[in-house]
Amino acid sequence: MAILFRFAHNEYFLSGQFLSDLRLGVNPLLVDPKWEGTNLQKQLERNPLPENFKGAETNSFYLATSGSSGLPKLVHKNLALIESEVESWLHWPGLKDHFPGPAVSVRVPFCHLYGLIWGFFLPRALGKSIVFHDGSDTAITTAYSLQSDLRKSLPPAPVNIVSGMKFPTALSRKLRSDHPGAKVLEIYGSTETGAMAQRDPLRQNRFQSFTSVTFQTEPSVQDESEGLETELLVKSPFISEFCFSLDKTNIWRKENLKNMDGFFQTNDMGNLTENGWYHLGRKDRIVKIKGKRVSLDSVQSEIDSLDLEFPVLVFVYESENGDQIAIAAEKNQTNETNLLEKLRFVLPESHIPKKFLWVEKFPLLPNGKPDYKRLANI
């Protein structure tokens, strides 16, 4: 079977070519158009795919993604897996309330699983038109994009379906106050897992898992003595069986994504109760500051929710007194004293940054995400 290296432009899907490729036995490797001309594209082209990669079955495809390492990962999917997840959403009682109009404004690329399901397959199943501009009743977007729009004083769509990061509490308060009629549905999941849970962040409630999804937690190795926040494992019919990861020696390695009991390790930390899952943050973004566990993602969310006209990155650095929180901004864009005063209104003292770093330009990984390790070493 052929492998099609495909930059996932919108027309590829809307023209019917994507589904046609699947039917014809071509296995598309869907790559974000933003990767064109970057090191990520060069890595994919320079390093041949493994032989067993080429034995994929009909109606299967791969989503190219990358994480904190900045290296490509190819997550295997098949059409049956996608269709079963779509079917489960079609039986969710609250779905139609989030698609009231005839069209859906899609602002997430289809090469991302969340965009593919919510921006392509679900609208088609509901008989909705797919558009790529503002003005529709429903917008498929990300928490970060919605946050950016509100910072620019752009009005939100009446219904916003978001994913990609935990919706900030401070932003919930602002959205609820400034746009009382707006509605937000937040989807919790990843490329590997598909959707695991949902919540209404404007009510600041916990994520509610689906009936077909089982949550389980275990203590983090580095925090076994505390036990308050634990690491989430999930079992779901929508989890991919395997992926291929490119390691630092440029060798593709096949990884099974489930443990012996069928659970996937999310690397997310939080608190699971009968009321749902509270997501504290990614495991590698949680540190101890003077014996207290701090989520750098939570600090980042609070800062992002402020009325700042420029981006700020939160990271951790080593000092004589142990790990400390720092923030970085590009030069000539911020005032240290004013920012500190704003942060003390929304954060406890243990979360207040102790170091400010001004850089000419943020260091980035090949996938365009912040390179926190380089920031910490500047």
Side-chain angles (χ1 to χ4, degrees):
M1 294 182 184
I3 296 294
L4 178 66
F5 184 89
R6 175 69 76 175
F7 284 108
H9 296 286
N10 295 335
E11 185 59 26
Y12 172 61
F13 296 89
L14 297 187
S15 67
Q17 187 63 50
F18 171 62
L19 295 176
S20 176
D21 282 342
L22 296 181
R23 288 193 298 269
L24 293 173
V26 175
N27 303 129
L29 167 56
L30 303 181
V31 182
D32 194 325
K34 292 181 180 179
W35 287 20
E36 289 192 73
T38 69
N39 287 336
L40 285 167
Q41 179 185 356
K42 295 175 184 177
Q43 287 173 326
L44 290 175
E45 293 176 336
R46 188 168 53 234
N47 301 290
L49 301 173
E51 286 301 318
N52 56 350
F53 182 94
K54 300 173 184 178
E57 75 275 11
T58 303
N59 282 333
S60 75
F61 60 99
Y62 292 83
L63 297 174
T65 182
S66 61
S68 57
S69 67
L71 295 171
K73 179 189 291 185
L74 312 177
V75 181
H76 176 259
K77 296 289 178 182
N78 61 58
L79 190 57
L81 194 71
I82 299 297
E83 289 177 339
S84 64
E85 183 171 345
V86 170
E87 188 65 25
S88 72
W89 277 107
L90 292 174
H91 286 88
W92 182 55
L95 182 68
K96 291 188 177 180
D97 292 339
H98 292 84
F99 289 89
V104 177
S105 174
V106 180
R107 307 170 191 177
V108 182
F110 294 138
C111 54
H112 299 303
L113 181 63
Y114 163 66
L116 183 62
I117 289 178
W118 285 85
F120 182 70
F121 280 100
L122 269 174
R124 289 174 74 251
L126 293 169
K128 308 291 182 179
S129 299
I130 299 171
V131 298
F132 304 100
H133 53 75
D134 297 332
S136 299
D137 289 329
T138 301
I140 310 297
T141 183
T142 65
Y144 181 81
S145 295
L146 180 57
Q147 191 167 275
S148 177
D149 287 347
L150 292 174
R151 190 184 296 131
K152 298 172 185 175
S153 299
L154 298 175
V159 180
N160 301 272
I161 303 176
V162 303
S163 190
M165 61 178 282
K166 184 182 177 184
F167 202 82
T169 299
L171 182 60
S172 296
R173 290 194 291 265
K174 178 177 177 58
L175 185 57
R176 189 169 51 192
S177 172
D178 296 350
H179 307 277
K183 182 182 294 186
V184 180
L185 175 67
E186 182 177 2
I187 310 299
Y188 174 55
S190 67
T191 304
E192 294 88 347
T193 65
M196 296 184 286
Q198 54 81 26
R199 73 175 185 136
D200 178 354
L202 299 191
R203 297 180 180 176
Q204 299 172 16
N205 57 348
R206 291 176 176 239
F207 286 104
Q208 305 301 307
S209 64
F210 305 113
T211 55
S212 57
V213 175
T214 301
F215 280 174
Q216 176 177 299
T217 58
E218 64 178 23
S220 171
V221 174
Q222 62 184 9
D223 291 310
E224 286 182 349
S225 60
E226 296 188 14
L228 285 176
E229 281 83 30
T230 52
E231 187 170 354
L232 183 69
L233 283 72
V234 62
K235 180 184 288 186
S236 164
F238 313 128
I239 296 176
S240 296
E241 294 291 334
F242 65 91
C243 70
F244 288 100
S245 295
L246 187 67
D247 65 19
K248 293 182 179 179
T249 63
N250 293 326
I251 295 176
W252 289 100
R253 300 192 183 278
K254 186 176 181 179
E255 299 178 22
N256 293 321
L257 294 174
K258 302 176 185 177
N259 65 19
M260 294 293 291
D261 296 322
F263 281 89
F264 173 81
Q265 191 168 357
T266 66
N267 289 320
D268 287 342
M269 298 293 292
N271 175 248
L272 181 64
T273 71
E274 60 183 11
N275 295 320
W277 166 253
Y278 174 78
H279 183 205
L280 181 65
R282 296 287 295 172
K283 185 178 179 179
D284 59 358
R285 292 275 290 163
I286 294 178
V287 297
K288 278 190 175 180
I289 306 295
K290 295 183 178 180
K292 294 182 179 181
R293 191 155 47 182
V294 175
S295 168
L296 299 179
D297 290 337
S298 296
V299 179
Q300 183 76 62
S301 291
E302 291 291 350
I303 291 177
D304 288 344
S305 299
L306 298 174
D307 292 326
L308 303 179
E309 297 179 355
F310 49 84
V312 170
L313 294 181
V314 178
F315 64 102
V316 67
Y317 71 100
E318 294 182 7
S319 73
E320 295 179 355
N321 299 318
D323 286 344
Q324 297 287 350
I325 297 175
I327 58 175
E330 295 178 347
K331 284 186 177 180
N332 302 320
Q333 288 190 315
T334 186
N335 180 291
E336 177 179 331
T337 303
N338 290 343
L339 182 55
L340 265 181
E341 290 176 353
K342 289 184 177 181
L343 292 182
R344 286 202 167 95
F345 276 104
V346 296
L347 295 173
E349 188 61 32
S350 60
H351 291 49
I352 301 297
K354 299 299 187 290
K355 176 180 176 180
F356 289 82
L357 179 67
W358 285 270
V359 295
E360 292 292 340
K361 193 174 182 179
F362 290 136
L364 301 175
L365 295 166
N367 58 6
K369 296 179 181 178
D371 190 336
Y372 295 109
K373 289 184 179 179
R374 282 174 60 191
L375 272 178
N377 292 323
I378 292 178

